[in-house]
């Protein structure tokens, strides 16, 4: 607690010093005066005010549908045991970005999970968990404000699949952990700052001043996952022990992305 109070005190003193020493530089300076640089103009365009490094945080929704997967427990395709319904997956991503003249490169860590059940098909539940590491390239510096930002993203992920099903009268839980595989993502970001500014023109400047929030985006994307796992031969549905469970999926998604 004392450390926190000390840090707050230092922060307050530093900011008060900036305001105390700020002056009108149109006046001649004396030999014993100190020049203090003025603060960044928060009303300037994104292209002019953005720094070399930034941070990203996003929350996403996507539909995971492993159409090639066969249930080891029920010896049926995922399409049969789910009646063709995908698994809704909610995920979050956090990362850092490097800005340059054309756009930006970002390194991201993501984690998502989803669940689905269908008792009519003896499926008590399927849980999927996805852990990801990504690199993202975005064209977000082509205009003064990033109204529309196309991007490409790729990386590796670890997927865990857990199925709770009935085989006859017996309830069985099967867990598959896929080896690290590659995935890709292509999408478009739509800047939402104009909505905030339409409601209150000072919103963007206040967000920058209070939290450093540069942009809020609607993210629309398409993702493709490769995912293969070695199944346990519970009922021999996939043949030999060398067979692989194919948990690959692709589909559309959308999210909300914040840039700081």
């Amino acid at each position: 607690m004392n450390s926190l109070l000390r840090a707050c005190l230092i922060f307050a003193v530093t900011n008060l010093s900036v305001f105390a020493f700020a002056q009108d530089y149109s006046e001649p300076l004396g030999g014993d005066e100190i020049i203090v640089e003025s603060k960044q103009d928060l009303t300037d365009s994104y292209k002019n005010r953005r720094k070399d490094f930034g941070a990203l945080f996003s929350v996403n929704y996507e539909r995971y549908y492993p159409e090639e997967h066969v249930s080891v427990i029920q010896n049926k395709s995922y399409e049969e045991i789910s009646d063709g319904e995908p698994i809704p997956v909610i995920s979050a991503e956090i990362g850092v970005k490097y800005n340059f003249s054309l756009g930006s490169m970002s390194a991201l860590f993501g984690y998502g999970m989803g669940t689905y059940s269908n008792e009519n098909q003896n499926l008590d539940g399927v849980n999927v968990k996805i852990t990801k590491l990504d690199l993202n390239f975005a064209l977000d510096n082509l205009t003064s404000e990033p109204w529309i930002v196309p991007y490409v993203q790729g990386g590796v992920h670890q997927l865990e699949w857990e199925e709770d099903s009935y085989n006859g009268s017996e309830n069985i839980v099967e867990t598959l952990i896929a080896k690290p595989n590659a995935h890709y993502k292509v999408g478009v970001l739509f800047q939402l700052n104009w909505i905030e500014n339409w409601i209150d023109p000072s919103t963007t400047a206040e967000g920058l001043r209070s939290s450093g929030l540069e942009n809020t985006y609607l993210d629309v994307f398409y993702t493709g996952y490769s995912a293969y796992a070695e199944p346990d031969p519970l009922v021999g549905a996939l043949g030999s022990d060398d067979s692989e469970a194919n948990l690959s999926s692709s589909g559309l998604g959308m999210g909300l992305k914040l840039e700081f």
Side-chain angles (χ1 to χ4, degrees):
M1 182 62 72
N2 290 335
S3 299
L4 178 60
L5 290 175
R6 187 159 50 251
C8 292
L9 181 60
I10 293 171
F11 178 82
V13 171
T14 302
N15 281 275
L16 286 173
S17 300
V18 170
F19 287 108
F21 284 108
Q23 59 175 307
D24 181 3
Y25 295 120
S26 62
E27 297 293 330
L29 297 177
D32 57 348
E33 290 182 299
I34 300 174
I35 297 177
V36 179
E37 293 185 1
S38 61
K39 286 192 171 183
Q40 182 185 31
D41 184 3
L42 301 181
T43 63
D44 206 350
S45 67
Y46 171 78
K47 192 179 187 73
N48 292 330
R49 73 172 182 263
R50 81 175 192 164
K51 301 177 181 178
D52 290 341
F53 292 93
L56 296 171
F57 175 76
S58 62
V59 177
N60 303 311
Y61 168 84
E62 57 188 309
R63 293 154 63 89
Y64 194 87
Y65 187 70
E67 59 183 351
E68 300 296 328
H69 177 58
V70 176
S71 169
V72 177
I73 301 171
Q74 296 197 44
N75 197 15
K76 295 180 181 179
S77 69
Y78 176 78
E79 182 178 5
E80 292 178 282
I81 65 175
S82 68
D83 290 329
E85 291 294 321
I87 303 170
V89 173
I90 303 296
S91 63
E93 287 182 330
I94 189 169
V96 295
K97 68 191 296 272
Y98 171 68
N99 298 316
F100 51 91
S101 59
L102 183 62
S104 64
M105 286 290 295
S106 304
L108 301 163
F109 170 79
Y111 180 79
M113 59 189 307
T115 185
Y116 172 80
S117 62
N118 187 354
E119 294 184 359
N120 293 331
Q121 296 293 341
N122 295 324
L123 180 62
D124 272 3
V126 167
N127 296 298
V128 61
K129 301 175 183 178
I130 310 172
T131 304
K132 300 186 291 183
L133 289 174
D134 283 270
L135 287 177
N136 175 292
F137 170 67
L139 294 172
D140 59 356
N141 201 37
L142 298 180
T143 57
S144 60
E145 290 291 334
W147 305 113
I148 299 177
V149 179
Y151 70 86
V152 294
Q153 183 171 315
V156 295
H157 65 277
Q158 180 81 56
L159 185 142
E160 182 176 331
W161 173 277
E162 183 180 271
E163 177 189 342
D164 187 349
S165 283
Y166 280 92
N167 179 22
S169 60
E170 185 180 5
N171 179 250
I172 301 174
V173 176
E174 166 75 353
T175 299
L176 304 173
I177 299 179
K179 57 189 177 183
N181 273 274
H183 63 269
Y184 68 89
K185 183 178 181 181
V186 293
V188 179
L189 301 175
F190 298 92
Q191 190 196 56
L192 301 180
N193 293 16
W194 66 270
I195 299 178
E196 299 173 340
N197 291 330
W198 177 67
I199 298 173
D200 183 355
S202 66
T203 301
T204 299
E206 287 299 324
L208 274 168
R209 186 176 296 109
S210 61
S211 64
L213 178 62
E214 288 279 1
N215 290 298
T216 302
Y217 295 106
L218 173 66
D219 187 2
V220 180
F221 57 85
Y222 184 91
T223 304
Y225 296 96
S226 295
Y228 297 91
E230 296 289 342
D232 292 334
L234 293 181
V235 292
L238 298 178
S240 72
D241 296 351
D242 296 329
S243 298
E244 286 188 315
N246 187 348
L247 298 169
S248 302
S249 172
S250 60
L252 292 170
M254 63 187 304
L256 188 68
K257 178 170 287 189
L258 306 179
E259 178 189 355
F260 296 91

